[in-house]
Amino acid sequence: MTRLLYFVKQALSGMRAAPFVHGVAALTIAVALLLSGVVGALALQARALLEQWGLRAEITVYLTPQVAPAEAEYLARQAAELTSGTARYVTAHEALQELAAALGEEGEALRELPENPLPASVRVVPAVGTTAAEVEVLARALGKLPGVLDVDYGRAWIDRITGLSRAAGVIGLTLLPLILLGAAVLAASVVRLAIHARSAEIEIQRLVGATNAFVRLPFLVEGAFAGLLGGLLGAGGLFAVAWYVGPALEAALPLPAELQPAALAGPVPLLLVVGAGTALGLLASAISVGRHLR
Amino acid sequence: MIELYRIFKLYQGEVPALNDVNLVVGKGEFVFLTGPSGAGKSTLLRLIMAAEEPTRGQIIVGGRNLARIDHRGIPFLRRNIGVVFQDFKLLPNRTVFSNVALTLEVQGLPAKEVKRRVEAMLERVSLGHKANAYPPQLSGGEQQRVAIARALVGDPAILLADEPTGNLDPALTIEVMDLLTACSARGTTVVVATHDLHLLDRYRKRTVRLAEGRIVEDRP
């Protein structure tokens, strides 16, 4: 414990001696973490949005005019069984009434039409937890049932979300590690400056019999402290994004309800950012001091 | 205490810095290494403290063959060798106390023990009253005494000094040399590299003269 305190004391003294270098290292880590936090949260939320889409998905199965009501009811039961959800037969007349009601005054004209242009349909709500991909598969299966004219399951919207999710996944898998690695390398270069500035001290320590571990430990503690500071700054930045930039973004852009900038300010993401900052600082120092002592 | 057998040290593209050097220094002995600049005095000291390896030959320090010590063992060897340099090599941003304490801190001694031994050592070199001063606030002689205190506080068996009086005026030179001879009297093996002939005349100790990397004279 006394030994650890000694290294902490040495580390703090080293940080006091070179505040600019440690500040730059901390800022580098903070910016990288802020970027990673925003990109990572976006990727996770887009994925969650896609996965939850199935919860609200409704598949409309349009029927040919030849399908009798009894056959349609049978088809609805088949559809419910297939999707493990619920299905309701909607006659052509009901469909017209609903559309007219939805259009309000303008819809009154629909009631005057000599012939109903709308087909009868079966509206299917798949079981809770059905993913977008599963909805697509179910829609294809329903399309193969006899008497089915067409199936609508909001494909355009699902395609958009799928694209966004895929992009978020690619960004998450490639950009995030690159940002973090870049930050570690940059911070390592900055820390190396601090080590270089203290090369005379290291030389003297080695002359009086210091082991590599003795030389290395204060630098590792320094790196961890600089990383912790970077993590705290990054967490502060994320908090600011969540509480100040997020609402402005929501007001300016039609964000889906599932994209919640406020989620960035939760305790778990903020703690993760602080932890990641400390780990990055430690890694940067380990790289630099390791190379110096080699 | 120090044994060198057929030591050669070659640097790339240069004439040998050390050429077939054989030397034995006993426990508690005081030896001057002398010779002109470039004769190989500093190289010889660097080989003894394992800061460099010889190109050929064997070095035995305190009964241990340096060729058989791996890099992890070198710090422990150095804890038994105090070193003093012409340019003092003190840390300017640490106090006198902290500079001297470094030797004991690397050995992991408890803070109380470090304090006791550093204070005693600073008294021994007459710098007890300067414990909280910083090296740039001291005279050259005081700085060299701090360096000697740092070298001796770990109670090493060997003290190597490379031109320890090179930056000092005659009065301070005597002050520092008296400290080094006192160490030898206490049983520490002392090797002092110098090209100051006045010192050799004044102290009348064993003198090993080097020229172009060879020992050309070994006068008891």
Side-chain angles (χ1 to χ4, degrees):
Chain A
M1 192 63 189
T2 315
R3 200 97 174 114
L4 184 66
L5 277 178
Y6 172 81
F7 289 121
V8 169
K9 212 173 124 189
Q10 292 301 314
L12 291 175
S13 156
M15 292 181 86
R16 272 198 303 272
F20 179 73
V21 170
H22 289 90
V24 170
L27 268 180
T28 307
I29 289 171
V31 170
L33 287 173
L34 181 59
L35 276 175
S36 307
V38 171
V39 170
L42 196 67
L44 283 175
Q45 290 199 3
R47 212 163 261 282
L49 174 64
L50 183 68
E51 279 165 11
Q52 283 177 14
W53 174 251
L55 291 175
R56 294 186 293 111
E58 185 177 276
I59 306 170
T60 306
V61 181
Y62 296 107
L63 306 176
T64 58
Q66 291 76 29
V67 176
E71 286 172 324
E73 292 287 359
Y74 175 69
L75 210 141
R77 282 197 296 279
Q78 273 188 299
E81 201 173 304
L82 194 66
T83 61
S84 308
T86 58
R88 181 171 72 88
Y89 168 50
V90 179
T91 64
H93 178 70
E94 283 172 335
L96 188 68
Q97 294 304 315
E98 281 179 13
L99 181 62
L103 290 174
E105 281 182 19
E106 289 168 8
E108 287 306 312
L110 287 175
R111 300 185 208 277
E112 308 300 324
L113 288 173
E115 198 178 325
N116 184 355
L118 299 179
S121 61
V122 172
R123 288 185 193 158
V124 185
V125 177
V128 172
T130 308
T131 65
E134 287 166 343
V135 167
E136 209 166 340
V137 172
L138 287 173
R140 274 204 296 274
L142 289 169
K144 287 176 186 163
L145 294 175
V148 173
L149 184 67
D150 196 10
V151 178
D152 179 19
Y153 60 94
R155 181 175 181 162
W157 177 237
I158 285 186
D159 283 351
R160 272 173 61 195
I161 297 294
T162 306
L164 182 62
S165 170
R166 198 169 291 138
V170 169
I171 287 169
L173 284 176
T174 57
L175 204 59
L176 269 183
L178 276 179
I179 292 173
L180 292 176
L181 186 68
V185 170
L186 201 59
S189 305
V190 175
V191 172
R192 214 162 172 214
L193 286 177
I195 293 171
H196 187 72
R198 279 154 63 189
S199 55
E201 184 178 340
I202 293 173
E203 185 198 345
I204 292 167
Q205 285 179 335
R206 298 179 96 171
L207 274 176
V208 298
T211 58
N212 277 351
F214 183 91
V215 175
R216 190 181 283 128
L217 267 166
F219 286 108
L220 293 184
V221 176
E222 267 180 61
F225 281 168
L228 177 67
L229 184 62
L232 288 170
L233 285 173
L238 273 185
F239 192 82
V241 166
W243 284 100
Y244 300 106
V245 183
L249 203 67
E250 279 178 308
L253 295 170
L255 291 180
E258 285 80 358
L259 286 181
Q260 292 287 332
L264 285 171
V268 173
L270 294 182
L271 276 175
L272 273 176
V273 165
V274 173
T278 310
L280 268 181
L282 199 62
L283 178 71
S285 266
I287 293 171
S288 298
V289 76
R291 287 179 71 177
H292 188 89
L293 293 178
R294 202 184 294 158
Chain B
M1 182 55 69
I2 302 169
E3 299 162 68
L4 290 90
Y5 299 108
R6 308 216 62 189
I7 295 299
F8 290 81
K9 181 63 186 177
L10 296 157
Y11 294 105
Q12 211 168 8
E14 288 181 16
V15 291
L18 291 174
N19 194 346
D20 200 12
V21 169
N22 293 282
L23 179 67
V24 175
V25 180
K27 186 175 173 357
E29 201 174 355
F30 189 110
V31 177
F32 280 121
L33 274 182
T34 188
S37 294
K41 305 185 294 290
S42 297
T43 304
L44 193 58
L45 294 185
R46 289 181 63 76
L47 292 182
I48 295 169
M49 69 173 96
E52 289 182 43
E53 289 175 10
T55 309
R56 216 161 71 208
Q58 295 229 329
I59 302 173
I60 295 162
V61 176
R64 297 183 72 191
N65 188 336
L66 299 195
R68 297 207 179 124
I69 300 177
D70 72 1
H71 70 280
R72 281 169 300 187
I74 287 172
F76 301 97
L77 171 87
R78 290 199 183 140
R79 291 176 191 181
N80 218 21
I81 302 174
V83 189
V84 178
F85 295 93
Q86 179 177 359
D87 59 356
F88 321 132
K89 291 199 189 297
L90 297 176
L91 296 169
N93 56 343
R94 286 193 182 212
T95 62
V96 164
F97 181 96
S98 179
N99 266 281
V100 177
L102 185 65
T103 302
L104 302 176
E105 285 165 354
V106 303
Q107 295 179 22
L109 265 64
K112 264 188 184 171
E113 177 68 2
V114 170
K115 188 172 184 293
R116 187 186 67 77
R117 286 174 65 172
V118 171
E119 282 173 353
M121 181 50 69
L122 286 177
E123 288 301 330
R124 192 169 139 195
V125 297
S126 309
L127 283 175
H129 60 296
K130 300 269 184 172
N132 294 319
Y134 287 86
Q137 298 170 319
L138 305 179
S139 70
E142 286 173 328
Q143 289 191 54
Q144 194 57 295
R145 279 189 279 154
V146 176
I148 291 170
R150 183 183 64 195
L152 292 177
V153 74
D155 202 15
I158 297 167
L159 179 67
L160 305 177
D162 193 0
E163 302 283 2
T165 58
N167 283 339
L168 307 180
D169 62 35
L172 294 175
T173 295
I174 302 302
E175 194 178 282
V176 166
M177 283 307 300
D178 285 349
L179 266 174
L180 297 181
T181 49
C183 283
S184 171
R186 285 167 173 245
T188 306
T189 303
V190 181
V191 180
V192 178
T194 182
H195 60 261
D196 185 344
L197 299 177
H198 297 296
L199 283 185
L200 310 184
D201 284 344
R202 183 182 174 96
Y203 288 92
R204 297 277 168 193
K205 300 285 185 183
R206 179 182 169 193
T207 303
V208 175
R209 195 154 65 85
L210 286 161
E212 294 178 347
R214 287 178 180 276
I215 292 180
V216 292
E217 186 186 359
D218 188 348
R219 193 183 66 207

